[in-house]
């Protein structure tokens, strides 16, 4: 991994994290103040008060009747210091937790909003499970970073400052030596651990790939089992798991080497402290209580410095975990709305493809699916798109839905260029039923109502009835409350498709796009669904993509595509009589004719 590129991603991660921290600054400020109070009262004021007691004791015995006069104020101050320190500790936990909760909420929304606005090309190149893992690691990285700053960074920085301030006036020579050693320590730690950051990013990426591999295997478990490929998938998973182990091993060895170097500097610091403790009174006349303070403060500081090594490990791990998601958040939106884009208004539903030129983003510019493509569909017309696989049928509907943006020409609905309006408004005007039904792991009712969430229950029921789905739904033990499983796996293919069609019926959009929508149905269900779709298509502009020509034979018009070009265009009977490509396709599907 390029170290320069890794640094840029890390800085971007920190910008994301800082933006949410700044938004919730009162909690961050409370966290800082309470952390400083906790460290000062328990680690610095306490030893200072103990030093006063030691100095008083070293002056000679104290009479019993003078005991409270001599030590009472210091003891009271010591008790108060501990009370304030413990209060600071609990407030530190509270403010830190509140900050993490609120910031994590914002970061989760940021990731969700960004990912949900990405194009299908973005998702086609990534594992869904890996993206889930990346979001979790990105958000978890903030919590890890916040804990690290609260319980390590602030403690270490404040310990260094308090040590210098408390001892500067008492033993200036010692403080100067300590400052030099601390500067050397921080510089060495920073340089060593900045080199480990790429290793952390590599390890996080390996973990994300492992999550993606696991998700891919589980999602397609039926294919794995029916192919008897459990051992093959186990091999792929083992390889991905081994990559994680190797990456973690390299990161661990690098951390240990860095830790060994920093520990050596700690030994030097404590050695200097010991020399000053032994000769401080003789050389500089340092009081016994001050010697106690010197040792206590230095020992506390070195203990904090010992945590500096693990702190950098934690910081590196957190930033490495966030690496992949930060890159994803920085991906340009291949399909983006104009800043002043308005909603699409459909009054008729006329569709015009004019001079359309399109190639997929990951394909060469000259490898075009469409080049100067023209097609006009009048409002209310029912059009079938047919042709061999790869002819551009589904791509055409993808462009209409703005799941991808064309590079040349225009696609207009009622004269409005779809690239000039909000893409969500385009999709709300188009009821889309794909070949593979898009169902959530929710109830049947929720899946149908997804087309129009505000619909009344009786409208949902009517939509199910029109889609020929009501009969099988009512036979289920839980009826409309039946959970369909991930992607609808608890239903048959035909049942899933009928649920998807019911959703489109409920949506009641002026434009209808069916992409092999009846391909999963048996003959009887197809006949009933065709009747429902015929009613649904009445008065609506409809585009039907089909391989089974019986699906489109009764439509107003059939457009035959070949290599992104229109080779035939007309009604079914006219095209059959013409003896061209459509007639050849029709002959291959004997007995598939559906009377219109």
């Amino acid at each position: 991994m390029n170290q320069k590129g890794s640094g840029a991603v890390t800085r971007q991660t920190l910008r994301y994290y800082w933006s949410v921290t700044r938004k919730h600054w009162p909690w961050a400020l409370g966290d800082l103040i309470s952390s400083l109070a906790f460290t000062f009262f328990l680690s610095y004021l306490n030893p200072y008060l103990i030093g006063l007691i030691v100095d008083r004791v070293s002056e000679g015995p104290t009479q019993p009747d003078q005991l409270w006069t001599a030590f009472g104020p210091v003891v009271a101050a010591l008790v108060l210091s501990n009370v304030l320190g413990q209060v600071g500790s609990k407030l530190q936990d509270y403010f830190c937790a509140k900050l993490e909760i609120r910031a994590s909420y914002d970061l989760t929304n940021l990731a969700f909003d960004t990912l949900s606005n990405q194009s299908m090309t973005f998702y086609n190149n990534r594992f869904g499970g890996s993206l889930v893992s990346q979001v979790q690691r990105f958000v978890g990285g903030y919590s890890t970073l916040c804990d690290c700053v609260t319980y390590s960074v602030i403690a270490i920085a404040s310990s260094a400052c308090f040590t210098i301030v408390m001892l500067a006036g008492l033993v200036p020579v010692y403080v100067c030596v300590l400052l030099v050693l601390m500067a050397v320590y921080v510089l060495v730690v920073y340089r060593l651990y900045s080199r480990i950051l790429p290793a952390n990013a590599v390890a996080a990426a390996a973990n994300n790939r492992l999550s993606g591999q696991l998700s891919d295997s589980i999602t397609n478990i039926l294919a794995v089992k029916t192919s008897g490929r459990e051992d093959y998938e186990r091999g792929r998973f083992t390889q991905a798991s081994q990559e994680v182990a190797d990456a973690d091993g390299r990161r661990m060895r690098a951390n240990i080497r860095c830790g060994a170097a920093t520990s050596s500097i700690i030994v030097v610091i404590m050695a200097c402290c010991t020399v000053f403790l032994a000769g401080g009174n003789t050389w500089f006349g340092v009081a016994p209580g001050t010697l106690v303070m010197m040792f206590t403060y230095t020992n506390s500081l070195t203990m904090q410095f010992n945590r500096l090594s693990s702190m950098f490990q934690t910081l590196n791990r957190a930033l490495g975990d966030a690496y992949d998601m930060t890159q994803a958040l920085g991906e340009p939106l291949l399909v983006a709305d104009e800043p002043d884009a308005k909603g699409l208004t459909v009054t008729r539903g006329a569709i015009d493809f004019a001079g359309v030129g399109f190639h997929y983003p990951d394909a060469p510019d000259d490898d075009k699916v469409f080049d100067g493509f023209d097609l006009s569909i009048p409002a209310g017309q029912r059009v079938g798109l047919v042709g061999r696989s790869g002819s551009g049928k589904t791509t055409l509907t993808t462009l209409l839905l703005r799941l991808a943006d064309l590079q040349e020409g225009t696609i207009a609905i009622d004269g409005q260029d779809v690239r000039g309006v909000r893409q969500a408004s385009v999709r709300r005007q188009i009821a889309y039923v794909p070949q593979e039904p898009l169902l959530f792991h929710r109830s049947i009712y929720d899946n149908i109502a997804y087309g129009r969430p505000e619909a009344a229950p009786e409208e949902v029921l009517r939509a199910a009835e029109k889609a020929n789905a009501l009969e099988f739904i009512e036979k289920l033990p839980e009826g409309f409350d039946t959970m369909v499983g991930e992607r609808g796996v608890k239903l048959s293919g035909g049942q899933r498709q009928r649920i998807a069609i019911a959703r489109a019926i409920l949506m009641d959009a002026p434009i209808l796009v069916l992409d092999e929508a009846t391909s999963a149905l048996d003959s009887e269900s197809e006949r009933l669904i065709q009747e429902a779709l015929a009613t649904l298509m009445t008065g609506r502009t409809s585009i039907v993509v089909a391989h089974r020509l019986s699906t489109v034979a009764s439509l107003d018009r059939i457009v035959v595509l070949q290599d992104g070009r229109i080779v035939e265009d007309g009604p079914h009977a006219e095209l059959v009589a013409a003896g061209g490509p459509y007639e050849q396709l029709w002959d291959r599907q004997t007995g598939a004719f559906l009377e219109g």
Side-chain angles (χ1 to χ4, degrees):
M1 183 177 295
N2 183 278
Q3 190 164 342
K4 184 177 179 181
S6 174
V9 174
T10 298
R11 288 190 292 274
Q12 183 58 47
T13 299
L14 292 174
R15 280 192 286 269
Y16 284 133
Y17 287 173
W18 171 244
S19 66
V20 294
T21 304
R22 185 174 54 191
K23 179 180 177 181
H24 302 293
W25 67 267
W27 304 108
L29 182 61
D31 186 22
L32 173 63
I33 293 174
S34 57
S35 297
L36 291 174
F38 167 62
T39 301
F40 174 75
F41 286 117
L42 294 187
S43 298
Y44 285 85
L45 186 56
N46 273 356
Y48 173 77
L49 296 172
I50 293 296
L52 294 180
I53 293 176
V54 170
D55 283 341
R56 180 65 182 84
V57 170
S58 66
E59 293 175 0
T62 302
Q63 297 301 317
D65 60 338
Q66 298 178 343
L67 190 62
W68 179 248
T69 303
F71 295 104
V74 179
V75 172
L78 198 61
V79 172
L80 179 60
S81 175
N82 278 274
V83 170
L84 293 175
Q86 292 301 329
V87 171
S89 172
K90 300 307 173 283
L91 288 176
Q92 178 189 45
D93 294 340
Y94 172 75
F95 285 122
C96 181
K98 289 290 289 187
L99 178 60
E100 287 178 16
I101 290 170
R102 299 202 171 198
S104 295
Y105 174 83
D106 289 339
L107 290 171
T108 303
N109 286 340
L110 168 67
F112 180 83
D113 290 342
T114 303
L115 293 179
S116 64
N117 285 314
Q118 276 291 1
S119 68
M120 291 309 299
T121 302
F122 173 89
Y123 287 100
N124 292 340
N125 294 323
R126 289 168 172 82
F127 282 123
S130 180
L131 286 173
V132 172
S133 174
Q134 289 172 30
V135 172
Q136 292 172 337
R137 288 175 177 274
F138 177 72
V139 176
Y142 179 86
S143 295
T144 301
L145 196 65
C146 189
D147 285 343
C148 189
V149 170
T150 299
Y151 299 108
S152 295
V153 175
I154 295 177
I156 293 169
S158 60
S159 292
C161 292
F162 291 149
T163 298
I164 293 167
V165 170
M166 300 290 279
L167 295 179
L170 301 174
V171 276
V173 176
Y174 178 70
V175 169
C176 289
V177 174
L178 198 58
L179 276 172
V180 172
L181 291 175
M182 284 193 297
V184 171
Y185 184 91
V186 171
L187 180 62
V188 169
V189 169
Y190 173 76
R191 291 182 65 87
L192 289 176
Y193 280 99
S194 64
R195 297 176 183 176
I196 298 177
L197 184 58
N200 282 284
V202 169
N207 275 283
N208 288 330
R209 287 194 298 273
L210 180 64
S211 298
Q213 178 63 46
L214 178 62
S215 174
D216 195 38
S217 296
I218 291 177
T219 301
N220 295 286
I221 192 65
L222 182 59
V224 174
K225 288 187 173 296
T226 53
S227 301
R229 302 293 281 171
E230 289 90 345
D231 291 341
Y232 175 75
E233 289 299 313
R234 175 60 187 271
R236 287 175 60 88
F237 184 80
T238 299
Q239 181 180 353
S241 184
Q242 185 61 50
E243 290 176 1
V244 171
D246 292 342
D248 282 341
R250 288 191 294 270
R251 176 170 61 182
M252 176 269 296
R253 289 189 292 274
N255 282 329
I256 288 177
R257 286 194 296 269
C258 293
T262 55
S263 294
S264 301
I265 301 176
I266 294 239
V267 171
V268 174
I269 292 176
M270 287 308 298
C272 290
C273 178
T274 304
V275 171
F276 269 90
L277 286 175
N281 182 264
T282 302
W283 298 334
F284 305 107
V286 179
T290 302
L291 292 176
V292 171
M293 289 168 55
M294 286 173 57
F295 174 77
T296 304
Y297 291 167
T298 305
N299 184 62
S300 176
L301 184 62
T302 54
M303 292 298 292
Q304 296 289 358
F305 272 20
N306 268 324
R307 293 170 57 191
L308 190 64
S309 177
S310 62
M311 179 199 79
F312 271 99
Q313 292 182 38
T314 302
L315 288 174
N316 276 334
R317 184 184 295 271
L319 295 172
D321 284 349
Y323 188 92
D324 282 351
M325 192 67 243
T326 298
Q327 284 191 310
L329 292 175
E331 286 279 334
L333 295 177
L334 297 179
V335 181
D337 291 336
E338 297 293 335
D340 57 348
K342 298 179 180 179
L344 175 69
T345 302
V346 178
T347 55
R348 298 170 56 250
I351 302 172
D352 291 289
F353 297 85
V356 171
F358 174 76
H359 64 83
Y360 286 103
D362 50 359
D365 291 350
D366 57 353
D367 185 12
K368 293 185 176 182
V369 181
F370 297 109
D371 188 7
F373 180 88
D374 295 303
L375 175 64
S376 181
I377 303 175
Q381 190 175 70
R382 304 173 303 161
V383 177
L385 297 180
V386 302
R388 293 184 175 87
S389 296
S391 60
K393 304 183 300 295
T394 297
T395 302
L396 205 60
T397 63
T398 297
L399 293 174
L400 176 62
L401 286 157
R402 274 202 78 193
L403 297 176
D405 269 342
L406 45 79
Q407 287 88 28
E408 299 171 8
T410 60
I411 299 175
I413 298 176
D414 283 349
Q416 303 161 80
D417 189 339
V418 296
R419 286 182 297 179
V421 296
R422 292 193 300 272
Q423 53 191 294
S425 70
V426 173
R427 294 162 195 159
R428 290 196 184 103
Q429 299 297 329
I430 302 174
Y432 174 64
V433 183
Q435 181 175 3
E436 179 65 26
L438 306 174
L439 300 187
F440 297 93
H441 181 29
R442 302 171 191 173
S443 70
I444 289 177
Y445 183 94
D446 288 339
N447 272 285
I448 296 176
Y450 201 79
R452 188 155 53 89
E454 71 279 6
E458 55 269 20
E459 293 179 285
V460 175
L461 187 145
R462 282 198 300 272
E465 185 176 17
K466 290 180 180 179
N468 193 32
L470 186 59
E471 182 180 358
F472 85 80
I473 293 174
E474 290 180 335
K475 290 180 180 179
L476 296 172
E478 296 182 64
F480 277 92
D481 293 327
T482 301
M483 300 295 290
V484 303
E486 186 176 9
R487 297 192 304 172
V489 295
K490 294 168 71 173
L491 303 178
S492 70
Q495 290 172 337
R496 290 198 297 271
Q497 198 64 287
R498 279 177 275 175
I499 295 299
I501 292 171
R503 179 193 297 168
I505 292 172
L506 182 67
M507 191 173 178
D508 195 26
I511 299 173
L512 179 65
V513 174
L514 306 175
D515 190 352
E516 294 287 356
T518 61
S519 62
L521 303 177
D522 55 65
S523 298
E524 178 61 18
S525 293
E526 182 180 10
R527 183 184 66 81
L528 296 172
I529 290 298
Q530 290 284 17
E531 293 175 0
L533 291 178
T535 301
L536 177 62
M537 285 189 283
T538 301
R540 289 180 171 82
T541 307
S542 304
I543 298 177
V544 182
V545 176
H547 285 291
R548 292 165 62 173
L549 301 186
S550 61
T551 307
V552 299
S554 63
L555 300 182
D556 303 325
R557 174 185 174 196
I558 298 170
V559 174
V560 184
L561 297 178
Q562 182 175 313
D563 298 327
R565 295 179 295 106
I566 297 175
V567 294
E568 284 190 303
D569 186 353
H572 168 77
E574 181 181 307
L575 295 182
V576 170
Y582 181 81
E583 191 269 339
Q584 295 172 14
L585 291 172
W586 180 256
D587 284 347
R588 293 193 184 99
Q589 298 183 21
T590 56
F593 183 74
L594 179 65
E595 292 293 334

